[in-house]
Amino acid sequence: MPDYKDFKSKPSATNRDKKIEMRSLVDNYQPAAIWWNRDDDYEALNSAKQMLGVLSVDLLSRMIRYRVETRLYGITDFFANIQKSYNQSYNVATVVPERLSFNAIQSNVDTLISKMSKIKPRAKYLANLGTFKAQKAAKKMGYFTDGVFSENDLYSLSRQILRDTLVLGDGIVHVYHENNRACYERVLPYELLVDELECVGGSPTHMYRIKLADRFQLMAMYPEKAEQIRNSSQFFTVNVHQASQISNQIEVLEAFHLASTEGSNDGKHMIAVPDCVLYKEEWKAKRFPFARLSWTKPFSGYWSQSLAEQLKPTQLELNKLLAVLQRSYHLAGSFKILVQNGSQIPVESFSNNIGTVIKYTGTKPEYITAPIVPPEFYKQIDTLIQRSYQISGISSLSAQSQKPAGLNSGAALREFTDIESSRFQAFSQDVEQFFVDIAKIT
């Protein structure tokens, strides 16, 4: 009997009358394109391109999800065409303006952003058991971090990151240094590529960011590579910016690989355009320069589930009911007149004039108002709206900036606030840890 631990063995299995050969994983193994072990820039870039080609398959499925979630939030196909998304005529042409709607996703997201924006964590460096000199240095480091946060307007940027987290699942900040100063930059999730299989049981060891940059600005930053940048093409990943732009944009790859072990020299950081490597250095840090805030982390893998995705079934059902309600109002929203055949009532008799005399023969005309929709219909709409707030943990009163009836004392209002805040305790801790991660990377 073959040992299941032996990958070299080739056991066979029988399925009815057909014999199925079980090939070993070793026979099908293909060596990966390891760019971080390539000394030559040309070979390293080609190896990184091969990895991008494999990882971009996962990006296709993520892009579909991101487009759906942003449209549900209210942004018209943001990822497909940025220029048209912010063009007023395009929005009017693609979105029916007279459609009756209630955007429960946007209401929940905006309310949560308002709640979480009250949290403004500060990084504190601990040196309680250290010397007086160490404690003084830790205190100064705290002041320095406050200054960096203020210089980069991090608390305003965090509101955008919170919206990315709630709508797309992950909000990401890139921490980098420019002119000897720490800088923070918002990163949209579709700009990052990781190996999902590598993240099943842990964290990724290599990560890639593809960002659009102005070609002429890039040429000014790297004058020795100006001609190669001018003639460079695009990477063969999903190009989400399909609109014709006035500016000359080019995709820039920034690749990171963490050191395999302590003291090893395979940690690498590379910046490149499709035709040449712009910058390459050894990466000694133990983490990537990205701080990430997630809404619902997955059991396995890297990318998180968003609040918009959780509310999608409720929002879609609500849209259906509101569409039926609107159509019903248009069809049966006004009174009807019943006129018996042969009553010889001229249609011209019915008008807006006051004191109109209507002559009839036989049965007089009857005015009726038919029921538009049953009462259960309105109840179901209210139920779905309340359910959306229950899923996110927000009370409908908070979304409307109202206090519950009967709670007039300060103690009662504080107790109500504490009960509602306990629903977001875990997420509040994640927000605080997000600021701590930014301070650590800085």
Side-chain angles (χ1 to χ4, degrees), residues 18-150:
K18 296 181 180 180
K19 196 171 184 180
I20 303 174
E21 183 179 2
M22 306 291 289
R23 295 185 178 181
S24 70
L25 298 176
V26 177
D27 294 341
N28 297 328
Y29 175 75
Q30 297 292 335
I34 304 177
W35 61 268
W36 50 87
N37 285 338
R38 310 283 185 181
D39 294 330
D40 183 71
D41 289 349
Y42 180 77
E43 293 181 357
L45 180 57
N46 285 335
S47 299
K49 284 183 177 181
Q50 294 179 26
M51 286 195 170
L52 290 180
V54 176
L55 298 178
S56 62
V57 177
D58 169 67
L59 181 59
L60 287 171
S61 60
R62 283 199 290 132
M63 284 300 305
I64 296 175
R65 180 169 67 90
Y66 291 156
R67 284 181 174 178
V68 172
E69 292 167 0
T70 51
R71 288 179 68 90
L72 286 173
Y73 176 74
I75 302 176
T76 306
D77 212 0
F78 173 76
F79 294 98
N81 202 324
I82 285 185
Q83 183 182 16
K84 291 183 178 178
S85 294
Y86 288 101
N87 185 284
Q88 185 64 27
S89 60
Y90 177 80
N91 287 332
V92 172
T94 54
V95 180
V96 181
E98 65 272 8
R99 177 180 174 182
L100 182 65
S101 64
F102 180 86
N103 198 331
I105 291 179
Q106 191 176 68
S107 177
N108 279 271
V109 168
D110 292 347
T111 304
L112 264 175
I113 291 175
S114 299
K115 281 183 171 294
M116 294 296 111
S117 297
K118 298 177 182 179
I119 305 175
K120 294 185 177 181
R122 297 176 58 198
K124 183 179 180 181
Y125 298 86
L126 301 179
N128 296 336
L129 299 180
T131 62
F132 174 77
K133 185 177 180 180
Q135 293 181 14
K136 188 176 181 180
K139 193 173 182 180
K140 289 183 178 180
M141 282 294 296
Y143 293 150
F144 169 77
T145 305
D146 291 342
V148 174
F149 282 8
S150 178

Side-chain angles (χ1 to χ4, degrees), residues 67 79-83 212 238-245:
R67 284 181 174 178
F79 294 98
N81 202 324
I82 285 185
Q83 183 182 16
L212 283 178
V238 180
N239 188 358
V240 298
H241 305 268
Q242 299 173 354
S244 59
Q245 303 284 339

Side-chain angles (χ1 to χ4, degrees), residues 347-358 367:
V347 179
E348 296 80 8
S349 301
F350 301 98
S351 65
N352 294 329
N353 297 330
I354 300 175
T356 302
V357 177
I358 301 176
Y367 292 80

